[in-house]
């Protein structure tokens, strides 16, 4: 007959392996910091919504990772990554200085900064240098501020592209630098594309206290960023399916 001590020992082994399997089967959870960035990221009762948030959540679930979003200004996001467990920041710009302490996991979206004018403006402009002497509006993004400031270009900052195009159409400035194409406009003031100012990227960055294995799982499902084939229904739900298709096609051709 098996001794009591041996039974206890076997029971402990079974309990250990049972717990290990349960832990392996349960999804990991990460806290994801992101700033309000309409129409891609929108503050909501659950933290954040919008196509970036929903597409990211969908892809992470494929990797067995649950996501808890928290709305945090971009400038504060990097400060929070260094000393918090399982914490990442979504849709941040790459920062060479931060790369010494933060892991930039994957590009999640390309951003094309483009200059536009009104259709009734007959000026032929092909580069930033040609904008000297023109009134310029620009979406309030770090990359746009850096580019225009480096070119010595005064500009009016606008909250987002939708506001910018309304102001352009109203004649508040002659040229708009935007991260999104215009919505449907009509009449002689219809917006015309001038030239591409710059191509920039949005990244997923994680702190050093995110386990390497977890980072690897995230990287594996973000090979096509937030424009993976599985995310099309998300973009459609937000009325941005055409933007998704155009961005995905152009991005995949160059990547």
């Amino acid at each position: 007959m098996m001794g009591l001590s041996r039974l206890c020992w076997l029971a402990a082994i079974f309990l250990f392996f049972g717990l290990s399997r349960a832990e392996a089967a349960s999804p990991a959870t990460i806290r994801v910091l992101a700033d309000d960035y309409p129409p891609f990221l929108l503050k909501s009762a659950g933290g954040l919504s919008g196509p970036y948030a929903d597409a990211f959540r969908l892809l992470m679930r494929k990797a067995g990772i649950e996501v808890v979003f928290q709305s945090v200004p971009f400038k504060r996001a990097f400060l929070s990554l260094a000393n918090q467990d399982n914490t990442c920041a979504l849709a941040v710009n790459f920062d060479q200085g931060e790369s010494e302490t933060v892991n930039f996991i994957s590009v999640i979206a390309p951003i094309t900064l483009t200059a536009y004018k009104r259709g009734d403006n007959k000026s032929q402009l092909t580069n930033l240098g040609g904008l000297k002497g023109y009134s310029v509006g620009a979406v309030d993004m770090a990359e746009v501020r850096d580019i225009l400031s480096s070119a010595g270009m005064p500009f009016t900052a606008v909250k987002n592209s939708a506001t910018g195009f309304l102001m352009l159409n109203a004649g508040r400035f002659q040229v708009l630098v935007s991260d999104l194409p215009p919505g449907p406009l009509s009449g002689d003031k219809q917006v015309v594309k001038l030239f591409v100012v710059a191509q920039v990227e949005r990244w997923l960055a994680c702190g050093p206290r995110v386990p390497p294995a977890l980072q690897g799982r995230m990287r594996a499902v973000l090979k096509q960023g937030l424009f993976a084939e599985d995310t099309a229904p998300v973009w459609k739900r937000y009325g941005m399916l055409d933007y998704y298709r155009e961005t995905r096609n152009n991005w995949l051709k160059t990547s």
Side-chain angles (χ1 to χ4, degrees), residues 31 33 70 79-87 207-210:
R31 188 165 69 109
L33 314 177
Q70 181 178 348
L79 298 176
S80 302
L81 296 183
N83 56 9
Q84 295 182 3
D85 293 337
N86 288 356
T87 302
R209 293 165 67 173
V210 177

Side-chain angles (χ1 to χ4, degrees), residues 221-232:
V221 295
L222 288 171
K223 290 180 179 179
Q224 296 179 352
L226 302 182
F227 293 85
E229 188 174 355
D230 291 348
T231 68

